[in-house]
Amino acid sequence: MTKLPKGATVGIFGGGQLGRMLVQAAHGLGYKTHVFDPFNDTPAGRIADTETTSPYENKQAVETFAANCDVLTYEFENIPLATIKLAAHITSVFPDALALQTSHDRLIEKTFLQDQAGAPVVDFAPIESMAALSEFVREFGAPAVLKTRRFGYDGKGQVKVTSERDVKAGFARLGGTDLIAESFAPFVREFSIIAARGQDGEIACYPLTENVHKDHRLHTSIAPTGDPQNVKGEAQAITRRILQALNYVGTMGVEFFELAGGKLIVNEIAPRVHNSGHWTMDAGCTDQFEQHIRAITGMPFGATQPKYAVKMTNLIGDEILQADALAKKPNTFAHNYDKREIKPGRKMGHVNEILGQA
Ligand code: AMP
């Protein structure tokens, strides 16, 4: 493992809020930053040392970017695989193409989790026809969840099939092929584990983060949360196996369903810093963004044990207009992503409220 010297340049594909918080962390550790995004004046690009504006498909721009950076990473998983592979010929990219490829497609991801990481997942099957969906519902029962294999996020590209009679409508709504059916997990709660793995294989796990969704989008995260069914050890062991199986470098978010009786199911993995890890910024420990930069630059990890319990709430759309008032409240920290335009449903910022000692 070679540690990048201070002053070296960290390149980030993607200029959104996650990229922005990575830029802030990299600057804090003494690195320069360069952000690549199809749009200009992005939340991350605006505060980076250098901003490149180009489509991800522009090979020459990607090569020049890679040649000007000492290490590369990405802030979201819908970057074209070819872009990452091209850049990786020139400069190291963490997490690597395998992690990206695995998480691009829900079918590949679930198959990997089950077969290579020994992680529990729901029953699932590829769906290419209405007949296949009918058969899935007959075999595994309703409700089932039908999802697009690619480009789904925040509940987009998924429908619940509540009975056999629903099959036709559900299939029609997503249409066509490249779908996956999953059996519905009757969870008692959803939580995530944020963890990072270094180039030397060291793994640093944060405690359980309990997540509540609203309109299919993450609304609040509380950490560290209680563990009445004593599942933390198993959840961390599963997380470690996933990171090791991918030979992963960087921060990852692993989303779990917790069932009654303490059975765990992995819903999905995100090969990047994760919205449910934003509480770490104000918890009195090394935050997930710094941990990611530490991993990809070959620095040792910081502590993951929080001093404070924190409740993170996303500020969506014009909720961002309350950010300054919220920041005035004691023990409350508002983070504004500085997006140029407020749009309904858009993540504009988040607020971390300290609940007490961890
Ligand atoms: P996803 O886009 O896969 O992360 O799904 C978004 C949300 O939909 C999850 O956080 C769950 O609340 C719900 N969900 C997705 N898949 C399932 C499933 N198989 N069983 C139960 N709930 C699900």
Side-chain angles (χ1 to χ4, degrees), residues 122-266:
V122 287
D123 294 314
F124 65 95
I127 299 293
E128 302 287 339
S129 67
M130 210 141 74
L133 182 59
S134 291
E135 197 184 314
F136 184 88
V137 174
R138 263 200 306 280
E139 185 174 353
F140 298 107
V145 186
L146 184 67
K147 302 181 178 179
T148 52
R149 282 170 55 175
R150 300 198 54 175
F151 303 120
Y153 63 96
D154 287 346
K156 291 196 177 73
Q158 62 172 273
V159 290
K160 200 167 162 183
V161 178
T162 46
S163 71
E164 275 204 52
R165 275 173 297 146
D166 255 15
V167 163
K168 197 171 166 194
F171 189 77
R173 257 187 72 191
L174 294 188
T177 51
D178 282 343
L179 303 174
I180 179 175
E182 301 177 2
S183 52
F184 184 82
F187 57 83
V188 291
R189 70 170 176 173
E190 295 187 79
F191 69 80
S192 53
I193 298 256
I194 306 296
R197 183 171 178 276
Q199 294 172 46
D200 58 357
E202 186 189 346
I203 291 176
C205 274
Y206 290 91
L208 295 187
T209 302
E210 184 168 339
N211 300 319
V212 175
H213 293 82
K214 208 163 108 179
D215 303 328
H216 292 291
R217 201 178 287 113
L218 183 68
H219 177 51
T220 58
S221 293
I222 294 183
T225 180
D227 188 14
Q229 301 201 94
N230 203 15
V231 295
K232 180 173 148 194
E234 198 199 338
Q236 290 189 335
I238 293 168
T239 301
R240 284 171 184 276
R241 288 204 299 273
I242 295 170
L243 292 169
Q244 280 158 353
L246 284 171
N247 199 20
Y248 189 86
V249 174
T251 295
M252 172 185 276
V254 183
E255 297 179 17
F256 288 87
F257 297 135
E258 181 178 350
L259 308 192
K263 184 171 156 40
L264 295 182
I265 285 175
V266 175

